Amino acid sequence: MTSGHAEQAAAARDLLNACEREPIHVPGSVQPHGVLLCMDENLRIVQASESADIWLSHSADALVGRECAELLGESDMERLRTARGRADIEEAPLYIGVLTANARRFDGVLHRNDQLLYLELEPTRREQDMGFGGIYPLVRSFVSNLQSASSVDALCELAAQETKTITGFGRILVYRFDEDGHGQVLAERRDESYESCLGMLFPASDVPPQARELYLRNRVRLIADANASPSPLHPRDNPLSGAPTDLSFSGLRSVSPVHIQYMKNMDILASMSVSIIVRGRLWGLISCHNAEPRQVPFDARTACEHLGQILSLQIEANEERAQTQQRLELRRILVGLLSAIADRDDFVAGLMSSPTDLLAFAGAGGAAILFGGRCELFGDTPDEAEVLKLVGWLSAHSSNTVFSSACIDRDLPADVVPMGDTAGVMAVSISQVHRNYIVWFRPKVRRTVTWAGRPDKTATTAEPTMLSPRNSFEAWSETHTECSRPWSAGELDAALELRSAILTIVLRRAEEMAALAHELERSNRELEAFSYSVSHDLRAPLRHIVGYADLLRELEGEGLSDRGRTYLANVEESATFAGTLVDDLLTFSQMGRAALRPTQVNIRELAESVIKDLDAETAGRNVRWEFGELPVLRGDPAFLQMVMRNLLSNAVKYSRGREPAVIRIDGEDTATTHVVHVRDNGVGFNMKYVGKLFGVFQRLHRMEDFEGTGIGLANVRRIIERHDGHVWAEGETGHGAVFSFDLPKL
Amino acid sequence: MSTSLKPILLVEDNPKDLELTLIALEKSQLANEVVITRDGVDALDYLFCRGDYESRHNGNPAVILLDLKLPRLDGIEVLQVIRTTPALRSIPVVMLTSSREEADLLRSYELGVNAYVVKPVAFGEFVEAITDLGIFWAVLNEPPPGSARVARRSAQK
């Protein structure tokens, strides 16, 4: 755009803004092809349009203050009085029949608004009142053809055809407003001399909001002659309320000069619009154009209004059907996704198992799942860093559970918009607290926009021409960005449904986990109570047995037989063993409960101090200790000492009788772990039992061969696992064993 | 019995434990008198010279050997009273217990116990532990305040 164009566009925008503020429902005048008489409830005229001069041969001034009965005959007055009593004239024009005034025949239409009764008279050649029979043939062919029209486009084609037949206008367009308010021409019927507008777009600004409002209130709107001078009301304002007379429901209401200019820019002098209202919203318009002025009699307008209503209902039904089908399809996919989720512990894995469904579900080209710090991408998506940036922005700026945009260029800050082809984003948040999202992506849709209006048309006249379609197009294309196919309401609902289903599943799992944790806590408490009583109450009698046996031996030992002394020794030994067992068991249970206090532990130093402690057990034995390269690692020194003590004393114990017993302590490093091996050349074990080795109270040797409670290795495993490490062993009967553990590098 | 030696206060509810502890004390050949109370309330009555002990001559024991599990007031509660009563605060307290529960041990140290002895199953070891304690606490007239972890010769293997 050159600067000149930019100025023009700016001026056009100013005008468009002014246009949006124009109070078009109170123009203070009517079109001159009929007469408006405003009356009070006594049917006394309080306001009249200047066109009364032409059609009634009375000036508007002369009519004000007169009884309506002075204009109309008694039978017409009777009809007027009957109509006045009806409820359905509130803000809705009612046809009351052919009225005679000033020796002319008029179609009479009455409605009430803002305390006034509005009687609109339009000249007619009709002798009889217009009846249902007059309208029906006009609409009949349309209705009978509706059955065969399967799509909205086909319905619109039919409507254009019938409207052309009924009105005889030169060009009929049926267009729909898209979500941005631009009108897209879906169907057209035209005479040769008219340019085609099929497939073109009318910018939203062509129909400002207050005009849309009027289209909703008043469904048929005729401008018979753009060149005709509007006929002012006398007095100008509503004399009963003092406010400007509200002409929202008046068929004769005059047209805004901006709109007149707009029509002239399009080379048309007569136009008629019929509203298409679907579910209470202005869905589109049937727009009729004629190069010459053209009158459309009231019955034809009514026929068009009916046609519009029938079309509206059909479109509604059609859209509902399409929507229902879409929802059913979405539901089918949703059920598939949910069963995939339900089959797995992890909903992300469930969604990942059917990527096609995940994409089809939202009609998307790509999707991302962000959960618990993971980011999984499917199909055509921006790269992970861009997705994370986008989601970061969403979680900071959008509090809605679902966010959607078909135009992220327009709706998001430039620095979070991914490069490449993504234009549409739909994101559902699946956590209030964390950045957990499912995001779908849609590519840009390249659409060629053909503008309604002749591109070569240049503005030659003053201000109002700024509003030629050509200029509004330029203003519009300035702000128009490339978008994706829009996200439908059904898709948004389905995404929300998927979200709540996931939440339900995740929540249920969380509840199950909580219940388990609770249960675990309870059993832990029981276990603690149990250990406490074992620790306290079971140890005491054992101590007593040992103590008294000891005292008995001291006191009476001399007098006992050899057998008696052996028995006593057995009592003492058994009770001592039971005591040791209780102590070991308690240590084992504490191992699971005590807090770890990790520091740097030098395994070599630890091993050496343990070896020193084993002096008593190695005394008089030939034991050779060997050391390999050993790590310094992070762990709880007291617990790790217990591990080393167990492994080394086992190695000493099970290598009894070897000359020499060789015990080698070795280390190795992997990428993520430190490994420690303790190798001996002792009795070894059968690998068949390797699975039992680290179990509680598992013994692979007879009591009388090797002493011990069988809990040492269980302790080793428990300690190492609490450090997130592993234990394992290899052995061969008669050929020694190697016990190993690893701990994660931190 | 020498009067210059302060008595040892033994607080123990279990008659067998009481007998074995007394035997152990006897074996350790301590000359101190041993005052026996059978629960926490009784022990505090002694220390505060009230109830049955109203007429005893004043003065704190050389050391209190306190069992952890007692009817009425348990050992921890008794220890708490002793440590929060200025007149009693400086008496050395040795917790004797059958329990190897870490929580009890930590709580006792928090409350300022001087030694914590888990009674070993082997009687010989128990006698040794009592002997060490007796020598350390009962014989010394001026017990140093603070921890006596050195005396923890419990058989924690």
Side-chain angles (χ1 to χ4, degrees), chain A residues 340-363:
Chain A
I341 291 170
D343 284 349
R344 289 168 183 76
D345 280 349
D346 165 19
F347 85 90
V348 179
L351 290 175
M352 285 168 66
S353 69
S354 42
T356 356
D357 276 358
L358 183 64
L359 296 181
F361 178 71

Side-chain angles (χ1 to χ4, degrees), chain A residues 528 531-532 535-537 539-540 542-544 546-548 550-551 554 575-576 579-580 583-584 586-587 590 593-594 597, chain B residues 14-17 19-20 23 27 67-69 97-102 104 106 118-124 126 155 157:
Chain A
E528 271 184 55
S531 345
Y532 191 89
S535 157
H536 205 281
D537 305 353
R539 276 180 102 256
L542 293 169
R543 277 188 300 104
H544 300 161
V546 175
Y548 284 110
D550 200 52
L551 291 169
E554 222 174 276
T576 304
T580 314
D583 286 352
D584 283 354
L586 199 68
T587 307
Q590 278 170 343
R593 294 181 282 129
R597 301 180 185 84
Chain B
N14 183 312
K16 296 196 182 89
D17 269 319
E19 187 176 21
L20 289 171
I23 290 170
K27 281 177 177 287
D67 187 48
L68 185 79
K69 271 188 91 174
T97 172
S98 186
S99 163
R100 295 185 59 236
E101 267 303 303
E102 200 176 57
D104 290 339
L106 290 177
V118 179
K119 300 171 194 170
V121 172
F123 186 62
F126 180 54
K157 281 180 184 154

Side-chain angles (χ1 to χ4, degrees), chain A residues 472-545:
Chain A
S472 51
F473 170 58
E474 286 189 351
W476 171 83
S477 55
E478 255 193 313
T479 56
H480 183 67
T481 46
E482 287 180 305
C483 298
S484 71
R485 191 165 63 76
W487 304 96
S488 72
E491 284 162 339
L492 290 172
D493 288 352
L496 276 173
E497 208 167 332
L498 175 64
R499 170 184 180 270
S500 64
I502 287 172
L503 285 184
T504 310
I505 291 171
V506 171
L507 204 66
R508 200 180 58 226
R509 296 235 164 95
E511 279 168 357
E512 283 167 4
M513 293 288 280
L516 279 175
H518 182 74
E519 185 57 25
L520 188 65
E521 201 179 326
R522 197 184 55 78
S523 63
N524 266 345
R525 273 201 307 274
E526 281 175 9
L527 181 66
E528 271 184 55
F530 173 75
S531 345
Y532 191 89
S533 76
V534 164
S535 157
H536 205 281
D537 305 353
L538 194 54
R539 276 180 102 256
L542 293 169
R543 277 188 300 104
H544 300 161
I545 294 168

Side-chain angles (χ1 to χ4, degrees), chain A residues 592-608:
Chain A
R593 294 181 282 129
L596 296 178
R597 301 180 185 84
T599 58
Q600 291 297 102
V601 178
N602 182 323
I603 295 293
R604 171 79 191 241
E605 287 173 12
L606 191 67
E608 285 176 342

